[in-house]
Amino acid sequence: MPRRMSTVSGREFGAGVQAALKRTGLSNRKISEQLGWDPAKLSDLVNGKGGCSSEDLAVLLGFCQVPAAERQHLMELFTESRDKGWLQITDSGAAEQVRTLIEQERLATGIKVWALNLVPGLLQIPEYTRAVVQRSTVAPKDTEQLVAARVARRVIFHPTREFTFYIHEQALRLPVGGPDVMSAQLHDLLQMRVRPYVTIRIVPTSFGAHAGLAGSFIQLSYEKYEPVVFVESQNAGLFLEDKGTLAIYTEVLESLDRTAMDEEQSRRLITDILS
């Protein structure tokens, strides 16, 4: 029986297969003919619906001359069954989960972020990100690769998307990278909030306990797909997709919306910290 792939992994798998097919310069129908496949079989693969065996997929990727690393990535996406979410575990925290997150952020039309301890990744300047990574468990040789991957996420800021960031005050006061880095980072937040499609609101320390104590997360909403929630840990990224879990995270965001300062109060707090 064909495996059902999760929303996130299915989209990434389908996009990867489509890119491999495109590189051949042949139409999908022509490829199907040369492989002796029903065209519908190839269509199901591109749409992330499975529809063939691992052996069939290996033949297709070989036909398309897909490089070894990408071939392994696509095979792993295909062979795992995920009904309610997708857990990605990386060896060093370096790359794979950031790659998938970038793709999902690119597809999203609405992004809401809750940041408990650090400035959200999407809003981090390179110097801030580098200071965070250098104090983490990431191997030194992987530092710049990971910094570059995370900073690359900022290219998605565009008026076609709406961004809402709820940030705890303690994240703004944690001295990451020293005074100069923090000053540059906070100035950048003030510049980002001027964009009409970016909302930054601070949850003050004085409020005490709040709904977001379980940790930071990202909620991604799409025009054509159901929303997902992304949670990041030391060496793993978890995409959550079942409706019950999504409802819980939506409730957390609604509570934070009631708790957080408004945009002008948040601006004044950031300015006060700077001064």
Side-chain angles (χ1 to χ4, degrees):
M1 178 181 296
R3 292 178 180 270
R4 176 189 180 277
M5 305 185 80
S6 75
T7 303
V8 174
S9 59
R11 285 199 293 270
E12 181 167 348
F13 174 81
V17 172
Q18 184 65 69
L21 297 174
K22 186 176 181 179
R23 285 194 294 268
T24 67
L26 302 173
S27 68
N28 287 4
R29 179 168 294 277
K30 189 66 175 178
I31 293 172
S32 297
E33 289 176 358
Q34 293 200 24
L35 292 175
W37 287 12
D38 185 323
K41 183 175 180 177
L42 193 55
S43 176
D44 284 345
L45 265 180
V46 172
N47 291 316
K49 297 179 180 179
C52 74
S53 67
S54 298
E55 291 76 13
D56 287 338
L57 177 60
V59 170
L60 174 65
L61 299 180
F63 176 86
C64 296
Q65 298 183 351
V66 176
E70 180 67 9
R71 184 168 63 248
Q72 180 180 352
H73 176 67
L74 292 173
M75 292 296 294
E76 288 173 353
L77 287 176
F78 178 78
T79 55
E80 293 183 30
S81 177
R82 313 168 187 95
D83 290 334
K84 293 188 176 182
W86 180 19
L87 174 64
Q88 287 184 303
I89 300 177
T90 60
D91 293 334
S92 63
E96 205 56 42
Q97 69 201 62
V98 180
R99 163 185 168 169
T100 302
L101 181 57
I102 289 173
E103 176 63 17
Q104 293 309 308
E105 288 173 336
R106 185 187 65 80
L107 293 171
T109 54
I111 297 176
K112 293 184 177 181
V113 179
W114 162 235
L116 180 59
N117 298 313
L118 294 169
V119 171
L122 275 173
L123 294 175
Q124 291 177 11
I125 61 174
E127 296 81 5
Y128 185 98
T129 301
R130 185 173 294 105
V132 171
V133 174
Q134 287 174 341
R135 291 293 180 89
S136 71
T137 58
V138 173
K141 65 181 179 63
D142 295 326
T143 296
E144 291 307 316
Q145 178 191 13
L146 186 54
V147 170
R150 290 185 174 178
V151 171
R153 293 169 59 195
R154 288 178 66 117
V155 301
I156 69 166
F157 283 106
H158 191 272
T160 57
R161 300 181 180 89
E162 292 187 1
F163 302 83
T164 303
F165 297 91
Y166 298 101
I167 308 173
H168 198 278
E169 181 182 348
Q170 67 189 16
L172 305 181
R173 295 189 181 277
L174 187 68
V176 174
D180 290 343
V181 171
M182 284 305 301
S183 177
Q185 177 65 78
L186 295 179
H187 274 105
D188 190 72
L189 290 182
L190 292 175
Q191 293 173 1
M192 290 297 297
R193 65 170 295 279
V194 174
R195 305 185 187 196
Y197 51 90
V198 175
T199 299
I200 297 177
R201 297 178 58 195
I202 310 303
V203 175
T205 302
S206 60
F207 186 84
H210 51 79
L213 287 174
S216 305
F217 62 90
I218 302 172
Q219 183 192 72
L220 302 124
S221 301
Y222 310 90
E223 183 178 355
K224 297 181 179 180
Y225 310 115
E226 294 298 313
V228 299
V229 165
F230 177 77
V231 181
E232 184 177 13
S233 66
Q234 287 287 353
N235 70 328
L238 177 61
F239 289 92
L240 299 165
E241 305 176 64
D242 70 284
K243 292 184 178 180
T245 299
L246 292 177
I248 292 172
Y249 279 94
T250 297
E251 187 175 349
V252 171
L253 287 171
E254 290 172 349
S255 178
L256 291 171
D257 187 70
R258 295 189 295 269
T259 301
M261 297 175 168
D262 64 28
E263 291 184 75
E264 178 56 27
Q265 291 170 329
S266 298
R267 182 197 66 78
R268 289 201 299 267
L269 177 59
I270 296 172
T271 302
D272 288 345
I273 295 173
L274 270 168
S275 61

